[in-house]
Amino acid sequence: MSDYPELIVNGLKIDPKIFTFPFGCKCNGECCYYGVYADLKEYDHILSMQNRLIPLMDETQPKDVQKWFEEPIDDDDFDSGKCVGTEVYEGKCVFLNKNGLCIIQSLAIEDGIDAWKYKPLYCILFPLTIYEGVLTIDDEHIDRLKHCNKAEQLTTNIFDYCKDEIIHLLGDEGYQKLVNFRDEYILKCE
Ligand code: SF4
Ligand code: SF4
C-alpha cells in the first residue's frame, strides 16, 4: 500500500494499485486449478445443492461429496469468520469440469438466474481479492499461474477489466466512489 490517503468503501480499504495494474484475461480457467476458499455459509449452500450438482459432474470430478471440501479454518476476511477450501482433484478444483467450466456457475445458468449467484465470492473477485480487510490484487495467485496475465502489451488495467466484479462487491455507489478516487489518485501521480 502506498502512503496515499486511504479510501474505505463498505468497510474495505482500497489498495490504489488496482487502478494501474495491467491485466488481461485470455486463458481457459487456470485460476480454478488450485481451488478456492469459500465462506462457511457458501459452503453450506453448495452442499445443500449437491443433488443437483452431481449430475453436472463429468468423469474428471469426484461425485463423492466427502471429497469436495477441506476442513473449515478461521479467517476474518470472510463474513462468517470461517472459510473452507475446495479440494483439488485431477489437477483442478473439484467443481471445474473437463471443459474448463465451473458447474456451480452452470447450475445458476440452468436456473436462469445471475451466473454468479451460487459461486464463492473469491471465485468471482479473482484477479482481485480481499486480504486483511483490503481490496487488492491477488498477485501471489497470478504469479504462480502459467498463463494468467502473461500476454504482452496489455492495454487494460485490472480496475477497468473487473468493473462488473467491483460492482458486484461494492454496488454502483461504491464503484462510483472508486472511480472518483481513481481520477484524483491518477491526477496526483502525474
Ligand atoms: S487464470 Fe487469469 S487469464 Fe486465465 S481465466 Fe483466470 S483470470 Fe483469466
Ligand atoms: S468453485 Fe468454480 S469458479 Fe471457484 S475455483 Fe472452483 S471451479 Fe473455479
Side-chain angles (χ1 to χ4, degrees), residues 94-111:
V94 289
F95 297 109
L96 194 72
N97 72 13
K98 64 183 176 187
N99 298 319
L101 296 174
C102 172
I103 60 161
I104 299 174
Q105 178 158 328
S106 300
L107 186 61
I109 293 169
E110 209 176 272
D111 287 348

Side-chain angles (χ1 to χ4, degrees), residues 19-155:
F19 299 128
T20 52
F21 186 85
F23 189 81
C25 171
K26 283 202 177 114
C27 86
N28 196 22
E30 190 192 359
C31 41
C32 296
Y33 290 1
Y34 292 76
V36 71
Y37 284 105
D39 186 273
L40 197 62
K41 284 186 191 153
E42 295 170 331
Y43 156 84
D44 285 337
H45 186 231
I46 292 167
L47 282 184
S48 76
M49 300 185 295
Q50 59 183 268
N51 290 339
R52 299 174 64 222
L53 287 168
I54 290 170
L56 299 179
M57 289 182 148
D58 60 35
E59 69 278 11
T60 68
Q61 297 174 275
K63 295 190 169 73
D64 176 356
V65 178
Q66 301 303 320
K67 294 187 174 156
W68 289 7
F69 290 100
E70 299 170 350
E71 288 299 310
I73 53 173
D74 293 336
D75 192 325
D76 289 340
D77 280 326
F78 290 80
D79 281 349
S80 68
K82 282 187 184 297
C83 67
V84 189
T86 64
E87 291 280 8
V88 171
Y89 186 83
E90 297 212 357
K92 56 188 178 57
C93 172
V94 289
F95 297 109
L96 194 72
N97 72 13
K98 64 183 176 187
N99 298 319
L101 296 174
C102 172
I103 60 161
I104 299 174
Q105 178 158 328
S106 300
L107 186 61
I109 293 169
E110 209 176 272
D111 287 348
I113 57 171
D114 178 355
W116 289 348
K117 186 74 181 170
Y118 303 149
K119 268 170 86 163
L121 176 64
Y122 283 74
C123 301
I124 298 166
L125 289 182
F126 184 78
L128 296 172
T129 192
I130 299 165
Y131 180 68
E132 296 185 345
V134 181
L135 177 64
T136 185
I137 300 159
D138 194 351
D139 42 12
E140 255 182 46
H141 193 33
I142 294 172
D143 287 349
R144 70 178 166 175
L145 298 172
K146 285 196 191 82
H147 305 291
C148 187
N149 208 32
K150 300 295 187 286
E152 283 171 21
Q153 295 184 328
L154 289 166
T155 52

Side-chain angles (χ1 to χ4, degrees), residues 164-182:
D164 292 345
E165 288 79 358
I166 294 169
I167 291 175
H168 177 86
L169 180 71
L170 302 175
D172 288 320
E173 207 177 306
Y175 173 74
Q176 197 49 51
K177 276 187 194 164
L178 261 65
V179 170
N180 298 341
F181 185 80
R182 186 261 317 258

